[in-house]
Amino acid sequence: METGPVHAPGELIIDLGAIAANYATLCETASPSAVAAVVKADAYGLGIAPVSNCLYSAGARLFFTAHLDEAIALRAVLPRADAEIGVLNGVFPGEEGAFAEHRLFPVLNDLGQIDLWQTFCAAAGALFAAIQLDTGMARLGLPPYEIDRLAAELDRMAGFETRYLISHMACADMPDHPLNEAQRARFDDARARLPHRHAMLAASSAIFLGEGWRCDFVRPGVALYGGRPRADMPNPMRQVIQLSARILQVRTIDAGTTVGYGASYRAQKRTKVATVGVGYADGYLRSASGRASAFLNGVRVPMVGRVSMDLLTFDVTQAGPVAPGDRIDLIGPDHTIDDLADEAGTIGYEILTSLGKRYRRRYIAAGTGEGSPL
Ligand SMILES: *Cc1c(COP(=O)(O)O)cnc(C)c1O
């Protein structure tokens, strides 16, 4: 399946087979825990419809988005009766009906939302929900004093099924951080006091912390899409995306010539520079200016000068013959989303969710190894 502009200089290949393989790897690692799939932000920028259907085929039956509208969109493109869809960012007054209409469930993040859902369920019939506990991140979910209050007033949650009791880890990518053990202990304590069907704590990184964090379900996002769960070990996930772009122009400049805005790069010797038709308007982060690299003819080539809106410049002196129209690999097996993130001073998540709308997108269907229609 191909989508996006026809004559785009940049081509983004999304390997659904690799996503399915990553789901299988996570199932194996987390076993006997079950594996939900986080598909918020358009499946981390990769396209919620093809990605979610791929994950369903791979066995996923529980999906999470961040926003209600994302969940409504997901229900429309994943019309499977047995797929459960949860909304991490909660429910607000007036939205309850939309949850029921589209068969979604909210992640209730405070006592007010719990009361709202209980009142709605009393009128609408038995529904279920997740409850999120803040065990040490101070971001979203019932803070500790609300957990205590709920445990003392259990009838506040008696009118619906708490199918999932969840929490989220702050430092799971740092295995030695003391907060990991503290959050696990607080979650175990709360689990013992609050009725629920399944407990769920780990996202991508915490799956690799150990059995104590895996509970009944795990809830990965970025690892499904090839991101490294932890920086301190080899990445066990398969790379999912490849981004290549057309070279628009090639020139040889003399020593002393500067390249790009701000003249931030000055050639020390005669240098061959290739100009590529991708820029920060495509989500290629400007913070990678002068630090990123790419691959041309299998050779790593360094970026020179700043990232422009629609253009990048690389020193291709060492890369052999090169001409306008040739393609350069910006992201691929030799230069992963995490490599580019390191160069840009960010995380792979931001590289993925920044991928712009101007690329031609080609999906490689799971099980075919090639770009046949879905
Ligand atoms: C985004 C998110 C996830 C998925 O996190 P990854 O690090 O991408 O695996 C899981 N749970 C919550 C609450 C999230 O916000």
Side-chain angles (χ1 to χ4, degrees), residues 303-361:
M303 181 182 290
V304 290
R306 289 188 188 155
V307 175
S308 303
M309 186 183 293
D310 321 293
L311 299 169
L312 306 169
T313 37
F314 291 92
D315 174 353
V316 298
T317 313
Q318 305 299 325
V322 49
D326 289 354
R327 300 196 76 83
I328 189 168
D329 295 318
L330 301 175
I331 299 173
D334 299 324
H335 189 240
T336 65
I337 53 173
D338 289 305
D339 293 334
L340 181 56
D342 290 345
E343 292 163 348
T346 184
I347 52 178
Y349 300 70
E350 195 179 21
I351 300 296
L352 286 174
T353 56
S354 298
L355 292 166
K357 299 290 174 218
R358 300 201 297 178
Y359 299 130
R360 181 105 190 115
R361 289 177 174 228

Side-chain angles (χ1 to χ4, degrees), residues 38 40 44 88 132 139 168 203-204 219-223 349:
V38 178
K40 60 193 179 186
Y44 288 50
L88 291 167
Q132 176 160 224
R139 189 183 69 165
H168 193 55
S204 296
R219 199 174 64 237
V222 79
Y349 300 70

Side-chain angles (χ1 to χ4, degrees), residues 90-92 95-101 103-108 110-131 156-157 159-162:
V91 56
F92 285 80
E95 294 177 348
E96 308 93 315
F99 278 87
E101 182 189 340
R103 292 184 302 106
L104 313 171
F105 71 92
V107 176
L108 306 172
D110 62 27
L111 285 177
Q113 293 189 0
I114 289 173
D115 293 345
L116 183 71
W117 195 247
Q118 167 122 304
T119 304
F120 178 68
C121 292
L127 295 171
F128 69 96
I131 292 179
R156 293 176 85 145
M157 56 190 291
F160 59 90
E161 180 199 3
T162 300

Side-chain angles (χ1 to χ4, degrees), residues 140-185:
L140 197 60
L142 275 70
Y145 55 90
E146 287 201 352
I147 297 173
D148 291 340
R149 178 116 181 251
L150 184 61
E153 301 170 6
L154 289 179
D155 52 347
R156 293 176 85 145
M157 56 190 291
F160 59 90
E161 180 199 3
T162 300
R163 191 164 293 176
Y164 305 103
L165 192 66
I166 83 171
S167 188
H168 193 55
M169 302 287 297
C171 302
D173 57 337
M174 294 180 273
D176 296 330
H177 200 289
L179 198 49
N180 293 330
E181 188 53 44
Q183 283 197 261
R184 192 186 66 77

